[in-house]
Amino acid sequence: MNIKPTPHFESVLCKDLHDSQTYTLTSASKNIEVGEWTINNKHIENCSFPFVIEQKILHGGKQEGTKIITITCPEKGLNITVTPTRGMSVVNARGKDIYFGWDSPVKELVNPVYINLDSRGGTGWTEGFNEMLVRCGFEWTGHPGYENGQLYSLHGRLANTPASEVEISISKQAPYEIKIRGLLKESAFKSLDMHTLTELSYVPGSNHFTIHDILTNHADYPHDYEIIYHNNFSKPLLEENAEFIAPVEEISPFDEYALKELNNWSRYYGPTKDFNEMVYNIKLFAKPDGTTKVALANKMGDKGAAIEFNINQLPRLALWKNTDTEKQGYVTGIEPCTNHAYPIAIEREQGRIKQIAPGQSLHFKMKFSALVDKEAVETTRQEISAIMGNKKTKLIETPIAKE
């Protein structure tokens, strides 16, 4: 098993390569595929805090050939799983009494070769949907719809795009930060050439991790882009009377169905048969530098998850409440985004489609924190309350668009 450090690829996110050990696991440009691989803290000089990083290849059914990378910290902190085969999605993150993720009816990590995005009326994407963090976009996202005779399927292609380059970087000095990087390409002749460099950063033993994506337009022409970070949570955080906490400036129902529960937008039901999806379009207040924070807390207020991001990068948020039965997928999505989840034609008509210029790079960052006790939840609640201040939330009863 090769654990020798290998040359890095396009590591524009990492400015301290001389202080890190870097391992290339996949490289389309260099024709490298390491396969199953593992390393632990004993390979890092003077690192006594135990951790293990593994890459495994899954077998059987529709997950045949899917790769996962797992960071495991046996003593404390989070255990995090990423799948390079499925758009560098975060499958889940686990800690003591904390779980980021959900129990989807889709039990396997489906290899994209088995996904037809245009099937089921453009919702074939759902046949592989089961991760905690899924990148929706970046060429387009939102609900399926037609524009100029072309079908734009649900949530774009990126979540079903295998990474062309994958590397692991581990700092040689305390706190021995681990970075998992992947390069995702959306390229087509005469159409587009957008690359997304993804990075997950984690300090072993901590209760938080960060995502930093860089979207770059390698073409000679500008191109549209849409982004939704579909962050999904369920039990033990999601339950009856669990609460979504956010500094909401304005909120509107996605459709008439969601309007029925607009006055209850921040609270959740337990598993409820025949509950359809409810989605809310949200605009948030932020600090002067654009930083904002949202959270999900259980009913006792002693466990939760927080997401911090910048509204200058991700100016909108979609709140997806799917409190159907557990077998159907009991889950909520807290989704920072550049635009709402309506079909692309509606988003263009209402002026929310953004463009990236030739050669331009755009940064998108999020910090995910596990709130492991009542004190952590209360501290986060106070931080969000400080952002909100004395300002009021505007409830808009009419959906801002109709499909």
Side-chain angles (χ1 to χ4, degrees):
M1 185 169 296
N2 177 23
I3 58 170
K4 183 179 178 181
T6 51
H8 62 88
F9 69 91
E10 291 190 72
S11 294
V12 298
L13 292 180
C14 188
K15 306 302 182 185
D16 57 348
L17 286 172
H18 62 286
D19 292 328
S20 301
Q21 289 186 191
T22 301
Y23 306 86
T24 297
L25 303 187
T26 297
S27 176
S29 62
K30 297 181 176 66
N31 197 32
I32 294 173
E33 178 51 65
V34 172
E36 299 207 344
W37 175 90
T38 186
I39 193 171
N40 59 49
N41 61 288
K42 295 179 181 178
H43 293 100
I44 308 298
E45 187 176 357
N46 298 322
C47 180
S48 60
F49 188 89
F51 67 81
V52 180
I53 308 172
E54 295 179 277
Q55 176 169 273
K56 294 182 179 180
I57 301 175
L58 304 181
H59 299 287
K62 291 184 178 182
Q63 69 180 12
E64 183 64 40
T66 296
K67 290 182 288 187
I68 59 171
I69 298 172
T70 301
I71 301 171
T72 302
C73 297
E75 291 189 356
K76 66 176 183 177
L78 300 175
N79 302 322
I80 303 169
T81 301
V82 174
T83 173
T85 311
R86 294 187 48 79
M88 299 300 294
S89 294
V90 180
V91 179
N92 55 51
R94 301 171 182 267
K96 187 177 185 300
D97 300 323
I98 286 285
Y99 179 71
F100 289 3
W102 62 299
D103 187 11
S104 168
V106 180
K107 303 303 180 186
E108 299 172 1
L109 284 176
V110 179
N111 193 309
V113 299
Y114 299 107
I115 299 290
N116 177 3
L117 296 175
D118 292 346
S119 68
R120 302 181 182 273
T123 64
W125 184 90
T126 60
E127 294 183 11
F129 177 43
N130 59 9
E131 301 99 329
M132 174 244 156
L133 183 159
V134 185
R135 293 172 175 86
C136 301
F138 286 175
E139 185 181 3
W140 77 83
T141 188
H143 284 204
Y146 284 89
E147 186 178 54
N148 298 324
Q150 178 181 339
L151 172 61
Y152 288 85
S153 58
L154 179 66
H155 289 331
R157 297 192 179 103
L158 208 64
N160 287 281
T161 299
S164 296
E165 314 278 344
V166 179
E167 71 176 15
I168 306 293
S169 177
I170 308 170
S171 174
K172 297 177 184 178
Q173 300 177 354
Y176 306 103
E177 185 176 25
I178 298 167
K179 297 182 179 182
I180 303 175
R181 301 191 192 93
L183 181 65
L184 306 172
K185 296 183 178 181
E186 294 178 276
S187 306
F189 176 64
K190 300 289 284 186
S191 297
L192 79 161
D193 191 13
M194 296 197 301
H195 297 185
T196 302
L197 186 59
T198 73
E199 180 183 82
L200 182 146
S201 300
Y202 178 65
V203 173
S206 67
N207 287 320
H208 63 267
F209 63 92
T210 61
I211 296 292
H212 181 181
D213 291 350
I214 300 178
L215 173 66
T216 301
N217 182 4
H218 286 266
D220 289 331
Y221 300 92
H223 203 281
D224 297 342
Y225 72 92
E226 296 182 284
I227 299 172
I228 296 176
Y229 286 95
H230 214 302
N231 305 312
N232 307 300
F233 303 91
S234 187
K235 292 186 172 182
L237 305 181
L238 183 64
E239 58 186 343
E240 185 176 7
N241 286 325
E243 183 182 7
F244 176 61
I245 310 165
V248 175
E249 180 177 351
E250 63 178 45
I251 180 170
S252 65
F254 189 83
D255 52 22
E256 295 295 333
Y257 182 73
L259 174 60
K260 296 187 295 185
E261 293 285 336
L262 180 59
N263 290 322
N264 191 44
W265 63 267
S266 65
R267 292 284 178 176
Y268 290 91
Y269 292 112
T272 305
K273 193 171 184 179
D274 296 324
F275 186 98
N276 201 352
E277 302 169 283
M278 287 186 177
V279 178
Y280 296 95
N281 306 315
I282 294 176
K283 183 178 179 182
L284 296 169
F285 290 113
K287 298 177 183 179
D289 66 354
T291 301
T292 193
K293 181 178 282 191
V294 298
L296 173 69
N298 67 355
K299 65 180 179 182
M300 295 296 294
D302 58 3
K303 294 287 186 297
I307 308 173
E308 185 175 332
F309 59 99
N310 195 296
I311 63 170
N312 296 320
Q313 300 171 354
L314 299 163
R316 306 282 176 168
L317 184 134
L319 179 62
W320 176 54
K321 301 171 77 171
N322 189 67
T323 51
D324 204 336
T325 66
E326 292 187 49
K327 287 185 177 180
Q328 288 296 109
Y330 180 67
V331 61
T332 187
I334 300 172
E335 308 169 25
C337 47
T338 59
N339 53 277
H340 298 310
Y342 295 108
I344 191 170
I346 291 176
E347 290 301 282
R348 192 182 310 284
E349 179 183 283
Q350 298 205 357
R352 287 185 293 271
I353 301 282
K354 297 182 180 295
Q355 280 206 329
I356 182 169
Q360 185 179 10
S361 293
L362 300 171
H363 293 248
F364 304 94
K365 299 179 183 180
M366 292 180 294
K367 180 180 178 180
F368 296 84
S369 299
L371 310 178
V372 297
D373 53 30
K374 188 177 288 291
E375 180 181 1
V377 173
E378 185 56 32
T379 297
T380 297
R381 189 186 298 273
Q382 291 175 6
E383 291 171 346
I384 293 172
S385 179
I387 295 172
M388 189 74 186
N390 295 323
K391 300 181 287 289
K392 301 296 183 182
T393 296
K394 180 180 179 181
L395 270 62
I396 302 173
E397 296 191 353
T398 303
I400 60 175
K402 293 186 177 181
E403 294 191 65

